[in-house]
């Protein structure tokens, strides 16, 4: 069998078919305002007839930039980041740009390597979910002529554009919901508070509890924000709070599963709120009430702000855009149709999950081998 190879059309063939010069074809494709309408129509007809596709590398050599936008993420397997990528890809495609996905794998040296590559390949710009708060690497990228927008990180507007979610409001919404449902002994299962989002969500939780004098708030910190670590915390709880706020859905899913294994009923014995509205929130046995973040909108807005800077140049004004989170009600808290909990719920003794220690009753949220970070607010 003979295999026939079809060679892509060349710009010279388009020019010959349209009866114009190569430079005229180039102008129609890249600077159409320079060509009269009748000639441009003839060139476009030749482009369509020959199925001509401009070479992006050649265009990049002429303009000094490619048509690619870099998207640098810490971990593309994390649903949160993949949803940012979806929003960013949609916006890039709609504006005629391609998106180059760079997974830094939570490694600063790999992140820096991607920054170097994007600069060398003359990317028009980059959307970056940075690994840390150190601005040095980002500053170097800007100095190499690559505009960038930070996603999931708010920065002062004088430093550049950024998009983020109001995580303080998110933590406040989560705990306020538990309080509204009658919970008074509350526990936050958090990630490391050196992570800005974790610190903000806990700050919001504290703000909500301050509105209720009779409420108490404890905190335990998971080694990692995973299903396994959420389950481990649940297995080590000696005393059951009546409301738990987990600062991501993975922690909440693990906690719910392990509590169920210990005979704890959700939401009858304890109500649980997660954070993120990731896919796992809808597929666990007890579906999770959770705080939803407009993640796709985050990615879309970041690309649109970047392209405004690229195309408007001197007229561009930096912007800090903060999106509001919202609550999604599911099985892990009582449904609104059930009405409010009885007001004496907070006065009932909390259920013990493993007995009292030699010193008597443990403090709120106490787990074996780890003390409460904040016992009261």
């Amino acid at each position: 069998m003979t295999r026939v190879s079809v060679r892509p059309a060349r710009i010279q063939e388009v020019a010959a078919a349209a009866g114009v010069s190569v430079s005229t074809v180039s102008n129609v494709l890249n600077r159409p305002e320079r060509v009269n309408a009748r000639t441009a129509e003839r060139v476009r007809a030749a482009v369509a007839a020959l199925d001509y596709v401009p070479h992006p590398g050649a265009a990049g050599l002429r303009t000094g930039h490619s048509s690619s936008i870099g998207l640098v993420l810490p971990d593309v397997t994390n649903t949160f980041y993949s949803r940012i990528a979806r929003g960013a890809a949609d916006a890039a495609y709609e504006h005629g740009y391609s998106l180059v996905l760079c997974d830094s794998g939570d490694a600063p040296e790999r992140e820096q390597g991607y920054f170097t590559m994007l600069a060398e390949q003359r990317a028009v710009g980059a959307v970056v979910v940075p690994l840390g708060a150190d601005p040095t690497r980002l500053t170097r990228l800007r100095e190499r002529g690559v505009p960038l927008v930070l996603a999931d990180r708010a920065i002062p507007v004088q430093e550049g554009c950024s998009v983020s979610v109001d995580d303080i409001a998110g933590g406040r919404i989560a705990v306020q919901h538990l309080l509204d449902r009658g919970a008074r002994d509350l526990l936050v299962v958090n990630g490391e508070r050196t992570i800005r989002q974790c610190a903000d969500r806990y700050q919001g939780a504290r703000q909500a509890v301050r509105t209720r004098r009779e409420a108490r708030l404890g905190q335990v910190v998971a080694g990692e924000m995973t299903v396994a670590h959420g389950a481990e915390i649940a297995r080590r709880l000696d005393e059951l709070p009546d409301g738990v706020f987990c600062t991501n859905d993975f922690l909440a899913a693990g906690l719910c599963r392990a509590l169920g294994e210990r005979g704890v009923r959700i939401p009858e014995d304890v109500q649980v709120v997660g954070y993120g509205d990731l896919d796992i929130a809808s597929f666990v046995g007890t579906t999770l009430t959770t705080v939803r973040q407009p993640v796709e909108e985050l990615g879309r807005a970041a690309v649109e702000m970047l392209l405004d800077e690229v195309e408007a140049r001197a007229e561009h004004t930096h912007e800090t855009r903060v999106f509001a989170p919202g609550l999604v009600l599911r099985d892990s808290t009582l449904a609104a149709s059930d009405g409010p909990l009885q007001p004496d719920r907070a006065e009932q003794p909390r259920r013990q999950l493993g007995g009292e220690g030699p010193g008597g009753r443990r403090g709120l949220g106490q787990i074996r081998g780890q003390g409460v970070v904040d016992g009261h607010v």
Side-chain angles (χ1 to χ4, degrees), residues 287-334:
T287 59
L288 287 171
T289 292
T290 185
V291 177
R292 173 178 290 165
Q293 301 167 283
V295 185
E296 287 86 354
E297 290 90 334
L298 209 70
R300 173 179 288 278
V303 167
E304 290 174 347
M305 293 165 73
L306 176 68
L307 292 179
D308 182 73
E309 180 172 357
V310 168
E311 295 170 1
R313 298 187 182 277
E315 290 75 29
H316 171 77
T317 301
H318 289 321
E319 181 182 359
T320 297
R321 192 176 302 177
V322 181
F323 288 83
L327 191 69
V328 181
L329 293 173
R330 296 196 181 98
D331 295 340
S332 64
T333 61
L334 296 179

Side-chain angles (χ1 to χ4, degrees), residues 231 235 256-264:
R235 294 187 187 105
C256 288
R257 185 181 68 187
L259 287 179
E261 292 169 355
R262 300 184 67 180
V264 176

